[in-house]
Amino acid sequence: VRAQGDTYQVVADVSQFEPPDIVVTTSNCHVAIQAEKVADDGTVCDTFTHKCQLPEDTDPLSVSCTLTEAGTLVITARRR
């Protein structure tokens, strides 16, 4: 978690996954990123999981995420 001005930022490289395969959840200032790539035969061939805790002064309602064209997931949250 990096602090930038009045926001916190979490960055993850998920370039090996398609956008529908990526799930981001938040709960009690915790952020979880999960991604799963499924092969044509239905088997899971690649997974990614990352969990982190946001600082206590994070505004939990301000958490948002964007996926860049290069496959970088950027999660941002405002500081109170």
Side-chain angles (χ1 to χ4, degrees):
V1 177
R2 291 187 319 205
Q4 283 192 316
D6 65 345
T7 62
Y8 290 113
Q9 194 173 67
V10 177
V11 178
D13 178 8
V14 290
S15 57
Q16 64 272 26
F17 300 97
E18 295 296 319
D21 301 334
I22 304 165
V23 177
V24 178
T25 56
T26 61
S27 176
N28 296 329
C29 287
H30 286 82
V31 174
I33 305 166
Q34 295 178 308
E36 191 173 84
K37 187 183 293 186
V38 179
D40 292 336
D41 64 0
T43 60
V44 176
C45 59
D46 196 5
T47 62
F48 175 87
T49 302
H50 180 74
K51 296 179 182 180
C52 66
Q53 181 172 353
L54 296 172
E56 289 184 16
D57 66 339
T58 301
D59 177 359
L61 298 177
S62 72
V63 178
S64 65
C65 62
T66 57
L67 184 63
T68 69
E69 287 187 27
T72 302
L73 183 67
V74 181
I75 300 169
T76 56
R78 282 194 312 272
R79 298 168 81 173
R80 289 187 199 158

